[in-house]
């Protein structure tokens, strides 16, 4: 778990990807809540995971909202955190530099608004001396 690994140096973390994973067929949140209504323990478990009430989030916003990015580096004095909930233009004023070849981790905090998400895609772009790499 991430909580267990936060004190480990970056090199000692294991790669936990399972490349043979086949996701199940996607179901809506409503369908999942309707399944197994007669099993009290499953109903309680689903309420713990999904919430007790009906979904009230509007359909106007994105289904997944990234709220914070944190850059963790063993050579940095502390984590670099970027709050993505406010005005994003202020982030352009905050710059940071990493030495070439340094190892770092990126922690992404996000919120799922409506439906269950089967997977996320991350696209990483870096700039070096003003040139996109």
């Amino acid at each position: 778990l991430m909580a267990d690994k936060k004190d480990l140096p970056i090199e000692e973390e294991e790669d936990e990807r399972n490349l043979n994973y086949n996701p199940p067929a996607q179901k809506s949140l409503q369908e999942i809540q309707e399944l197994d209504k007669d099993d009290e323990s499953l109903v309680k478990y689903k309420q713990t995971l999904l919430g007790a009430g009906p979904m009230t989030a509007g359909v106007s916003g994105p289904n997944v909202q990234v709220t914070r990015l944190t850059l963790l580096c063993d050579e940095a004095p502390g984590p670099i955190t970027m709050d993505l909930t406010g005005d994003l233009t202020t982030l352009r004023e905050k710059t940071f530099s990493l030495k070439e070849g340094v190892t770092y981790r990126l922690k992404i905090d996000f919120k799922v608004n409506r439906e269950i998400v089967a997977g996320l895609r991350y696209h990483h772009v870096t700039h070096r001396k003003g040139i996109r790499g």
Side-chain angles (χ1 to χ4, degrees):
L1 296 171
M2 191 66 183
D4 298 334
K5 294 181 179 182
K6 72 177 186 178
D7 295 328
L8 290 177
I10 294 171
E11 302 83 48
E12 294 181 22
E13 286 190 18
E14 298 175 19
D15 188 8
E16 296 178 2
R17 290 181 290 171
N18 181 359
L19 301 178
N20 296 323
Y21 174 72
N22 293 320
Q26 188 168 356
K27 294 184 179 182
S28 73
L29 197 52
Q30 183 72 26
E31 290 174 321
I32 292 171
Q33 288 174 334
E34 294 295 321
L35 290 173
D36 303 315
K37 280 194 162 203
D38 56 335
D39 190 339
E40 186 179 330
S41 63
L42 274 176
V43 170
K44 279 184 168 180
Y45 182 65
K46 288 178 189 179
Q47 286 177 350
T48 302
L49 293 175
L50 304 173
M55 296 302 294
T56 59
V59 294
S60 61
N63 189 29
V64 177
Q65 181 180 12
V66 178
T67 57
R68 180 175 41 211
L69 291 174
T70 306
L71 189 111
L72 304 163
C73 180
D74 289 340
E75 298 175 21
I80 300 168
T81 303
M82 294 164 265
D83 182 20
L84 303 176
T85 58
D87 185 17
L88 297 181
T89 57
T90 59
L91 287 178
R92 291 189 180 267
E93 298 169 5
K94 292 183 179 181
T95 60
F96 58 90
S97 298
L98 294 173
K99 291 182 182 178
E100 188 172 343
V102 72
T103 304
Y104 64 91
R105 292 187 313 251
L106 190 63
K107 179 180 172 186
I108 303 171
D109 293 296
F110 61 92
K111 175 182 162 188
V112 178
N113 292 322
R114 291 181 304 279
E115 294 292 325
I116 293 175
V117 177
L120 298 174
R121 182 173 293 172
Y122 171 71
H123 180 75
H124 189 87
V125 177
T126 58
H127 294 267
R128 181 173 182 215
K129 297 183 181 179
I131 300 172
R132 187 175 170 167

